[in-house]
Amino acid sequence: QVQLVESGGRRVQVGGALRLSCVASGRTVGYVMGWFRQAPGKEREFVAAVSWRGDVKFYGDSVKGRFTTSRDNAKNTVYLQMSDLKPEDTAVYYCAADQELYPSRLESDYEYWGQGTQVAVSS
C-alpha cells in the first residue's frame, strides 16, 4: 500500500538541468524505485531504477550519462537529476515502486505508480 507523488517538472531550455522528486507515503522499506517517461505518441520508456539500498542503479540508453537517480529513504523520496537536457527528453515522467531487492527495467514489474510530472525541453 504505497502512494507516490512526483514533482519538479517544468519547461527548461536545451542543455539545462532539472531535478524531479518522488515522495512516497506508506511503507517502502525494501522497495525498488523506478523512473519512466512517456512522450506524446510514444510508448512509455524506461529511464532509471535504483535498488532499495541505492547500491544498484540502471539507466535507459537514451539518458545514460546525463541522468542520475538517487534516494533518501529517511525522507521516503527518490530523485531524478537530469542534465544536458534535449528536446527528446520532453515527456511526462513517472515514478514507480516495487517490493523487490533488485531493480527492473520492465514497466510490468512495478506495482505502484505516481501521477506523472510534465517536463518540456525547448530552445
Side-chain angles (χ1 to χ4, degrees):
Q1 188 171 345
V2 174
Q3 293 184 354
L4 307 173
V5 180
E6 305 97 333
S7 64
R10 63 179 178 89
R11 180 183 295 274
V12 295
Q13 292 187 334
V14 171
L18 188 64
R19 188 176 77 164
L20 306 182
S21 299
C22 175
V23 179
S25 62
R27 180 179 174 87
T28 57
V29 174
Y31 279 68
V32 166
M33 300 295 297
W35 288 96
F36 293 79
R37 67 186 184 185
Q38 188 165 22
K42 295 185 178 180
E43 298 290 323
R44 192 168 295 185
E45 176 189 20
F46 172 75
V47 175
V50 57
S51 64
W52 74 280
R53 286 190 174 95
D55 55 342
V56 180
K57 298 177 181 179
F58 294 156
Y59 296 96
D61 290 340
S62 62
V63 306
K64 199 171 298 181
R66 299 188 298 119
F67 291 10
T68 301
T69 189
S70 61
R71 64 194 297 168
D72 185 342
N73 289 334
K75 297 180 179 180
N76 287 329
T77 302
V78 62
Y79 303 97
L80 183 68
Q81 179 66 54
M82 306 183 293
S83 62
D84 191 23
L85 285 163
K86 303 175 180 180
E88 52 263 42
D89 295 320
T90 296
V92 176
Y93 284 72
Y94 300 89
C95 66
D98 189 56
Q99 193 172 17
E100 297 289 343
L101 297 181
Y102 203 78
S104 172
R105 295 178 173 89
L106 301 178
E107 179 180 351
S108 61
D109 283 345
Y110 291 86
E111 296 287 340
Y112 304 99
W113 292 82
Q115 82 288 349
T117 185
Q118 176 71 56
V119 174
V121 184
S122 63
S123 60

